């Protein structure tokens, strides 16, 4: 089957998804993506033209279609988010150490490129001052904004005013290991979300106390495309879920179009959109399905590898800790079993983790315990940093928070 083959039936589509979403092989590689906010001296957002001028040959094609979009010196690729945030995407590497070292060098390089244009690069997970403003006018983001606007201000805030640390790991050597790694990343998710919740304030959303306002935006949005039902076999479950998620947009000729109602990809295959695209003119292809996958935003996304998407951008100098933590926790079967044991009772408490963070005693205990497991699976300075993060969680302190800090988000009965 070629990349543009027409999908003749649901079983054919599911089989295609199973192949492209979960690559089977010895798990050896780690990757990461870091998002940063950009600003001018007066606090405003730099224009896209200014960012392109600063980035030169590293400018992403979303800003300049004719750009060579060269990687930075250590191999990280620059992309731009709707609100002018810049993202560094690492090349897959054999260890988290290699990823972190390359990210640090290229973050410094990125700051050097921006400095002559008076553009500042800021770490963190939330813009607390500026009204959400979408700079990118690509059809994809127009369609996202149009759909998300139907559920309030959270979509615009998510796109323009949030930043994340995303960590990717190989899926596994066989179906059994894929399931083990998949289930581990979900089981430890609420504890890690609480451990690294660092966005108690976010401009552009109604005021309400949450430890992770960034994750709040996701939970307020279209849950059909953010929650994968957890069943017996993630490879099968993910394929079925993806086909039953409503379409965000479809390509009709050279343009994107939002389909009517809640039409799913599976229904499109069955002819539900013939009145939109013309009977028999364009039934979905594998290329359409590949595009549909990019409009799905689950807590852990399967894109051949497994991408953890539930962690806030961290205060400057601290983003390496969650990268090392996630890589350590899936390293081998014994560590994965210990990690799941460390978080028993908190596995499904996603919204509590985002709302209360370490104010919740059970989540704080699980966060400390699972980071201690990660520390035990690590060596040297990495182990020290993970132990320090574990101790921070025991003290109920958010990343970068001091003991004198006050916190608005609390849970009745929590410490």
């Amino acid at each position: 089957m070629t990349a543009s083959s027409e999908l003749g039936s649901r079983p054919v589509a599911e089989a295609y998804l199973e192949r492209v979403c979960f690559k089977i092989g010895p798990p050896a590689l780690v990757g990461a993506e870091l998002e940063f906010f950009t600003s001018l001296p007066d606090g405003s957002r730099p224009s896209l033209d200014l960012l392109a001028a600063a980035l030169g040959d590293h400018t992403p094609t979303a800003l300049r279609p004719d750009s060579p979009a060269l990687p930075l010196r250590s191999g990280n690729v620059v992309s731009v988010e709707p609100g002018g945030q810049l993202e560094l995407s690492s090349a897959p590497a054999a260890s988290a150490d290699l990823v972190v070292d390359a990210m640090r060098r290229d973050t410094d390089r990125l700051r050097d490129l921006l400095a002559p244009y008076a553009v500042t690069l800021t770490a963190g997970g939330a813009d607390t001052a500026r009204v959400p403003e979408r700079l990118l006018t690509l059809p994809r983001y127009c369609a996202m904004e149009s759909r998300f606007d139907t559920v309030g201000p959270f979509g615009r805030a998510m796109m323009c005013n949030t930043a994340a640390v995303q960590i990717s790991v190989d899926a596994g050597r066989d179906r059994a290991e894929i399931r083990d790694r998949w289930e581990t990343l979900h089981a430890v998710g609420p504890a890690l979300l609480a451990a690294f919740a660092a966005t108690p304030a976010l401009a552009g959303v109604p005021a309400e106390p949450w430890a992770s306002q960034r994750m709040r935006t996701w939970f307020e949005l279209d849950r059909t495309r953010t929650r994968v039902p957890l069943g017996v076999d993630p490879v099968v479950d993910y394929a079925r879920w993806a086909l039953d998620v409503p379409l965000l947009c479809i390509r009709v000729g050279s343009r994107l179009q939002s389909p009517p109602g809640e039409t799913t990809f599976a229904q499109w295959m069955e002819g539900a959109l013939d009145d939109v695209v013309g009977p028999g003119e364009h039934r979905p292809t594998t290329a359409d399905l590949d595009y549909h996958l990019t409009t799905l935003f689950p807590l852990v996304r399967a894109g051949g590898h497994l991408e953890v998407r539930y962690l806030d951008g961290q205060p400057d100098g601290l983003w390496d800790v969650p990268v090392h933590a996630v890589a350590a926790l899936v390293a081998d079967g014994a560590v994965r079993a210990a990690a799941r044991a460390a978080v028993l009772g908190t596995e499904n408490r996603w919204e509590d983790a985002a709302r209360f963070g370490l104010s919740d005693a059970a989540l704080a205990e699980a966060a400390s315990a699972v980071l201690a497991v990660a520390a035990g699976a690590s060596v040297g300075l990495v182990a020290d940093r993970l132990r320090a993060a574990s101790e921070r969680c025991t003290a109920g302190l958010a990343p970068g928070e001091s003991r004198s800090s006050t916190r608005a988000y609390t849970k009745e009965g929590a410490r």
Side-chain angles (χ1 to χ4, degrees):
M1 180 181 293
T2 65
S4 59
S5 297
E6 186 171 301
L7 295 165
S9 68
R10 182 175 182 121
V12 170
E14 289 183 358
Y16 175 78
L17 287 170
E18 291 177 14
R19 290 196 302 274
V20 301
C21 292
F22 295 88
K23 301 293 186 182
I24 292 178
L29 300 177
V30 180
E33 296 177 358
L34 301 180
E35 296 170 348
F36 298 92
F37 298 105
T38 56
S39 60
L40 295 172
D42 63 0
S44 64
R45 301 173 195 264
S47 70
L48 297 182
D49 285 343
L50 186 63
L51 290 177
L55 294 172
D57 285 344
H58 308 293
T59 299
T61 55
L63 299 189
R64 287 184 178 169
D66 60 345
S67 171
L70 299 178
L72 295 172
R73 290 173 181 169
S74 297
N76 294 283
V77 175
V78 183
S79 57
V80 62
E81 295 296 309
Q85 309 99 308
L86 292 182
E87 178 181 273
L88 286 182
S89 300
S90 76
S95 72
D97 282 336
L98 293 174
V99 171
V100 168
D101 287 347
M103 283 283 192
R104 283 176 175 154
R105 289 192 295 270
D106 279 350
T107 299
D108 290 341
R109 174 59 179 158
L110 190 55
R111 287 194 166 103
D112 289 343
L113 289 172
L114 296 172
Y117 295 83
V119 177
T120 300
L121 200 67
T122 304
D127 189 325
T128 62
R130 298 180 295 193
V131 173
E133 179 186 3
R134 182 167 58 86
L135 304 182
L136 275 181
T137 58
L138 298 178
R140 165 188 174 85
Y141 295 119
C142 294
M144 287 176 64
E145 185 176 278
S146 177
R147 181 175 181 88
F148 293 152
D149 276 354
T150 64
V151 292
F154 297 97
R156 293 190 185 212
M158 176 275 293
M159 289 194 294
C160 303
N161 276 16
T162 68
V165 177
Q166 297 171 0
I167 302 104
S168 295
V169 295
D170 283 337
R173 72 186 69 246
D174 53 34
R175 295 283 277 261
E177 187 170 39
I178 287 173
R179 177 180 176 181
D180 195 40
R181 289 163 75 87
W182 175 264
E183 290 182 349
T184 298
L185 290 174
H186 282 87
V188 303
L192 290 183
L193 196 169
F196 297 107
T199 54
L202 174 65
V205 299
E208 191 174 321
W210 285 68
S212 175
Q213 297 283 350
R214 186 191 70 86
M215 281 305 300
R216 177 193 179 194
T217 65
W218 285 111
F219 291 143
E220 295 281 1
L221 290 174
D222 181 355
R223 298 189 184 210
T224 60
R225 71 186 63 249
T226 59
R227 295 291 189 93
V228 182
L230 301 182
V232 175
D233 185 344
V235 178
V236 172
D237 297 337
Y238 199 90
R240 291 175 177 170
W241 166 76
L243 292 178
D244 290 330
V245 174
L247 294 159
L248 184 70
C249 53
I250 62 172
R251 292 177 293 188
V252 179
S254 60
R255 59 189 176 84
L256 289 179
Q257 181 171 329
S258 296
E262 295 292 301
T263 308
T264 68
F265 195 95
Q267 290 168 337
W268 183 17
M269 292 173 55
E270 296 164 357
L273 298 180
D274 283 354
D275 59 338
V276 176
V277 299
E281 287 186 17
H282 180 48
R283 289 290 171 82
T285 66
T286 52
D288 292 313
L289 187 48
D290 290 340
Y291 185 83
H292 176 61
L293 289 174
T294 70
T295 69
L296 310 181
F297 309 104
L299 297 162
V300 180
R301 182 155 63 186
H305 53 271
L306 307 181
E307 179 187 56
V308 171
R309 299 175 52 83
Y310 48 71
L311 300 175
D312 285 353
Q314 298 294 286
D316 203 15
L318 298 177
W319 55 262
D320 64 303
V321 181
V323 176
H324 283 298
V326 169
L329 291 172
V330 296
D332 61 52
V335 175
R336 293 192 292 271
R340 293 194 298 272
V343 299
L344 281 177
T346 65
E347 297 96 324
N348 297 309
R349 297 185 60 199
W350 290 100
E351 292 191 34
D352 284 347
R355 185 184 292 271
F356 305 115
L358 299 173
S359 298
D360 183 289
L363 285 164
E365 182 178 355
S368 179
V370 79
L371 287 172
V373 170
S378 306
V379 297
L381 292 176
V382 171
D384 291 342
R385 284 177 70 73
L386 290 169
R387 275 192 291 270
S390 173
E391 293 166 1
R392 169 180 62 73
C393 292
T394 297
L397 299 175
E401 188 177 46
S402 68
R403 292 183 181 275
S404 61
S405 301
T406 58
R407 188 185 295 141
Y409 46 94
T410 57
K411 185 177 188 300
E412 185 176 349
R415 62 183 175 192

